[in-house]
Amino acid sequence: MDNQLCIVLDFGGQYNQLIARRVRECGVYCEILNYRTPIEEIRKRNPMGIIFTGGPNSVYDEESPHISGEIFELGIPILGICYGCQLMAYTLGGEVSAAPVSEYGKTETYYDKSCVLFGAVENMPDSAVSWMSHTDYISRLPEGFAVTAHTKDCPTAAMANKEKRLYAVQFHPEVNHTEYGSDMINSFLKNVCGFSGDWVMDNFIEKTVAELREKIGDKKVVLGLSGGVDSSVAAGLLSRAVGKQLTCVFVDQGLMRKDEGDFVEETFTRLFDMNFVRVNCQKQFLEKLRGVTDPERKRVIIGEEFFKVFWDKVREEADGGFFAQGTIYPDRIESGKGKESGNGSTAVIKTHHNQVKMPDDIKFDGVIEPLGDLFKDEVRRVGEMLGIPRELVWRQPFPGPGLGVRIIGEITEEKIKILQEADAVFRDEIRKSGIEDQLKQFFAVLPDVRTVGVMGDHRTYDHLIAIRAITTDDFMTADWARIPYDVLARVSNRLTNEVEHVNRVVYDITSKPPGTVEWE
Ligand code: XMP
């Protein structure tokens, strides 16, 4: 299985990572490469199959990515998707024209089941919904090709040259809206390319541990552990590979959730053989944050202080050797640092926080990113197989500045305690109510607001707690979760009864946009 590689050639489409994920879900290892990768290099990698992704609107746009016709001479099966489909037609001498009717969205599509892409799919009907997004269409097929699917408005919804093992679909089989789409990709991989489909995470762990041992030898490795999913799983893998040669540096800035620092320490020291170094520095952070209320200033201070403390510790611990980080595949693609991934228009989207800049005075033999080829869900699977607890593997996103961006106004030790308690109560109730899996993120916020209340016979003037729970696919947009009233009622009751200094609770019913998930 080691040599079975599928290359996803990136022409700048928005679903490229999704295509790669679908391929891996079929048990096939794949990598995304930039369309500019020289053909010779692609040949050397010896892929068993290539997929062209979608891309910009038209092969005729001035800036549109193109590819040399040589790629079709390699004898490697190719599946073109959307723009990739049109590019295949165009490059091989067909004609692509502006479509009289653009198609966008769910479209009834009629399949020719004598084509293996569709015919080999179990229970595949003669027609089904596909997801279209195109303004050009293939108006004349290249030589040797036959139409294998059509829609009401698009005569070439799919085409194939069986002899040359070249297949193409105008729609997007990788998105969920395309019925049987994953099956079509699977059919291409298994029936056309001949992949065995046995790339599984077990192999990944075994192979990665062996590679890490070989690379690290008897040297040391330092890893920054945040308690987040990626660094936790990286720590697990490295520990399995080199045990005590690994030192994990865990900076507890005192802005984590209740008991979280202790939980991370307890978990890692119990489960894994490694040196665990925890730096407790809440006082130092609070000192720096005293009197600061501006959200951006707070973020900057917390970020700068974190790295200062972290690198100081690393400097103490490092002894040559390697520096490891929990970078995952999407981080590398987003940073434009993937193995030649991303095209001119979509490269360098952001420099990711998982990839940190090292001070010049710290010298390592190299950087190790053991999860650099995995997607998030794959990282979670590895984490589970390594025995890392659910709370860490399925941890919801937690911002780098921690509770610092959930305490509005000045951050004080007292406020941190109130928020930690309130957040713990809220999380506990959500867990007990059985709706945890429906929420992508939920937490408490401590606004800088006091209100009047009455408790027993006494007037109170105390803190307000806001609770926030969201549903989302990608965190770019989000909706507030429709938590049942009785759950909200229990949360409110417990917060006002159990958390000292809280006398009022509000539920944040703002979606994103216009709100953001975090309050600061
Ligand atoms: P916003 O508030 O921007 O949050 O709608 C979107 C997602 O990002 C998380 N978030 C952060 N994560 N460092 C991080 O690592 C940060 O500074 C940060 N700010 C927001 C937030 O929790 C949500 O999941």
Side-chain angles (χ1 to χ4, degrees), residues 299 353 397-401 406 441 475 512 516-518:
R299 270 176 188 272
H353 62 271
F398 188 61
R406 294 179 183 169
Q441 214 173 346
F475 295 92
K512 171 184 178 177
T516 50
V517 175
E518 303 290 346

Side-chain angles (χ1 to χ4, degrees), residues 78 204 273 293 379 384 431 485:
I78 299 179
F204 172 84
D273 188 27
T293 56
V379 172
E384 282 174 341
R431 215 166 288 133
Y485 280 171

Side-chain angles (χ1 to χ4, degrees), residues 114-129:
S114 69
C115 172
V116 65
L117 230 49
F118 316 120
V121 171
E122 207 176 322
N123 298 326
M124 176 86 188
D126 292 334
S127 76
V129 165

